Amino acid sequence: MSSDANTKRAPAKPEQPYRMIFEQDVAVPVSDGLVLRANVFRPDAEGRFPVVMAQGVYGKDLHFEDGFKAQWDQLIAVYPDLCGNGSTGKYLRWETADPERWVPDGFVIVQVDSRGAGKSPGYLDPRSPREITDYYDAIEWAARQPWSNGRIGLLGISYYAVTQWRVATLQPPHLAAMCPWEGYVDYYRDSTHHGGILSSGFANYWWPKQCLAVQHGNAKSPHRERGTGRRINGDESLSEGKLEANRTDYIADILRHNLDSAWWRERTPVLSRIEVPLFSAGNWGGAGMHLRGNIEGYLGAGSKDKWLSLHAGKHWESFYLPEYVAMQKRFFNHFLRGDDNGWDKEPRVKLVIRDPRGDKFRTAAGFPPPDTRMERFYLDAVTGGLASASPSQEATASYEAMSEGVSFSTAPFERDTEFTGFVSAKLWVSSSTNDMDLFAVLRAFDERGQELVINGAHEASPVSRGWLRVSHRRLDADKSNANRVFHAHDEIEKLTPDEVYEIDVEIWPTTMVFPKGYRLVLTLMGKDFEFPGIAGRILHQHPGDRGRAEFLGTNRIFTGGGRASYLMLPAAYPATR
């Protein structure tokens, strides 16, 4: 953090909240001569104030409700005072802070349209190195403004969290703290290729509906500013040819780079380079999107001062709830304003523990919690069981890849049993073809045999999910450890049909209390798991990736004897089967 004149403390908080000044489309010059556009919300008072920023592709002038009506309605149902008690909701934007909740407390809120999106011209290339360089430049621009105290914080969900991890590795001199809320870290593993299998949602939904619709100069954009009726992506109207020339071919990029490579690594942060104070907030229900990244980011960041909070509920929900906004403000008040508010004494890890009877809360010194014990639950193809002892006899469970697969169940738990932390599976498998996609699902069933359907971050969710394309089975030995496995995803090793292979499957971290009488079930299949009658959103159905006969074979799971397959679960004391 710079020690120049811009780092003066903000004026003391007044007896009455600050009134707000709104400046729209403020010019933000960047290093290659392009000018981005930003909205600035600041106190109507003299002085220098801490700045909280976000930069992204979703359009700084698109109202949350206009762009994401279904999610807005769900948020209002949970938090009916979202547009009340201090906020009109006029400036609410998807996945960014509500200025009317922050400016009265003496913060400046800056929201920047990324290059090629909204009101910012240029080449639209989400998450590219150039976009992150622009973010660096925008942070340093904000630090120089007369209303800034030179201490810049970053805050936002999803895209607005992902870019935080990236720009922090560039170490902007005036970046003083960051709060990535439900935002992935590893672009390949966390987002687009789960276990090496292409996640089709980004190609089918995110790119056309959330990016191209707000591309700068797209005259066909359906989105308008409230009040003025102006397009939220600028007054310039570009031809289809110019629009295409002004953007990357995102879908082709993803399909072309099917293995982890330099292309992905230059879009993924080197976490050890992050040194600023960090408050990482993840969602247990975010398997397939953001959960893994918030945990990996917390563990890998080089920051001396770092905290992890793991919550439940919808992806966009917690960020706006008063108790979480209060946490965000305490964090930033401490590191951007220098308030001695006790944040530095907060437990480093805060966990919502999911329980079908009502969620619980506890803290820990680290993640996974120090009292966690990794326990093996062995699969038995004869009984369909999961138990502490490995079957003495080898057996095989077979299933057609596109069927509902095979399931293995614990006996009903004799008392309440909690699992919190990393999960993995060691499996012996074969396929009748030369490749195999494995979808691993952790499920919970009550004493009546009714399955628990969790209100996940993005969709109805089981306890957790894992994936592996078996031709990607090679591990990265340097990054794998006793708690979890890490696949290299840098080469393809096809299978010999019907030959047996020993593999490790990463299942995303989870927390769940299984009440007495509940059972844990592991389901293995060759397609996406979906609850009956509930369509999934995070799916793997792109024909360019999954539309080959090699993923339609007969798969086999071997158990017992010399081929003992098992599930590795993080048991909290006491763990009882």
Side-chain angles (χ1 to χ4, degrees), residues 313-543:
K314 285 299 180 189
H315 168 55
W316 51 87
E317 180 182 298
S318 63
F319 182 79
Y320 296 98
L321 292 176
E323 59 267 34
Y324 287 102
V325 174
M327 290 170 64
Q328 297 160 12
K329 287 182 179 178
R330 280 191 65 213
F331 171 73
F332 283 124
N333 272 323
H334 184 74
F335 288 108
L336 303 186
R337 203 188 302 272
D339 284 1
D340 185 13
N341 59 12
W343 178 270
D344 55 321
K345 299 177 178 63
E346 285 288 315
R348 291 304 174 114
V349 175
K350 299 180 179 183
L351 304 172
V352 168
I353 305 298
R354 297 187 301 193
D355 187 320
R357 301 159 301 190
D359 292 344
K360 299 171 171 53
F361 175 81
R362 66 185 174 97
T363 62
F367 189 91
D371 61 353
T372 302
R373 179 175 59 204
M374 300 304 292
E375 294 197 345
R376 295 183 181 185
F377 288 72
Y378 288 91
L379 285 62
D380 188 335
V382 176
T383 65
L386 282 171
S388 58
S390 175
S392 59
Q393 297 299 315
E394 186 175 309
T396 306
S398 300
Y399 62 94
E400 297 303 313
M402 293 298 107
S403 72
E404 297 307 307
V406 293
S407 293
F408 303 86
S409 175
T410 65
F413 289 104
E414 297 176 3
R415 57 180 171 178
D416 292 2
T417 303
E418 177 190 331
F419 299 106
T420 297
F422 295 107
V423 184
S424 63
K426 168 79 72 175
L427 302 175
W428 293 82
V429 304
S430 73
S431 171
S432 62
T433 67
N434 65 354
D435 210 342
M436 173 181 175
D437 279 351
L438 187 66
F439 294 72
V441 190
L442 289 189
R443 307 161 71 182
F445 290 81
D446 66 18
E447 60 276 347
R448 301 180 306 275
Q450 184 70 35
E451 182 165 10
L452 178 66
V453 180
I454 297 170
N455 180 25
H458 306 279
E459 59 187 343
S461 176
V463 175
S464 190
R465 304 172 192 256
W467 305 264
L468 180 65
R469 177 156 290 170
V470 179
S471 59
H472 289 224
R473 61 191 175 276
R474 192 175 73 83
L475 296 179
D476 183 324
D478 293 333
K479 295 182 178 180
S480 297
N481 59 44
N483 284 329
R484 65 195 192 279
V485 297
F486 193 100
H487 291 92
H489 294 299
D490 58 359
E491 64 178 312
I492 296 173
E493 298 175 286
K494 291 294 187 179
L495 312 182
T496 299
D498 298 320
E499 186 170 318
V500 181
Y501 295 87
E502 180 185 9
I503 65 169
D504 296 275
V505 182
E506 178 187 10
I507 300 174
W508 279 30
T510 193
T511 184
M512 179 60 62
V513 173
F514 290 78
K516 178 182 177 181
Y518 273 59
R519 295 178 298 114
L520 181 148
V521 172
L522 170 67
T523 296
L524 302 174
M525 53 203 308
K527 65 175 183 177
D528 287 298
F529 171 83
E530 297 179 87
F531 291 103
I534 304 177
R537 177 187 171 197
I538 301 173
L539 301 174
H540 306 76
Q541 300 176 347
H542 196 286

Side-chain angles (χ1 to χ4, degrees), residues 3 6 10 20 23 42 47 52 75 95 159 178 204 229 239 258 281 321 378 414 433 436 468 479 524 529 536 538:
S3 60
N6 279 348
M20 187 173 77
E23 297 177 305
R42 57 187 179 87
V52 174
L75 179 56
E95 299 185 331
Y159 198 99
M178 57 185 289
N204 296 339
S239 67
N258 64 315
L321 292 176
Y378 288 91
E414 297 176 3
T433 67
M436 173 181 175
L468 180 65
K479 295 182 178 180
L524 302 174
F529 171 83
I538 301 173

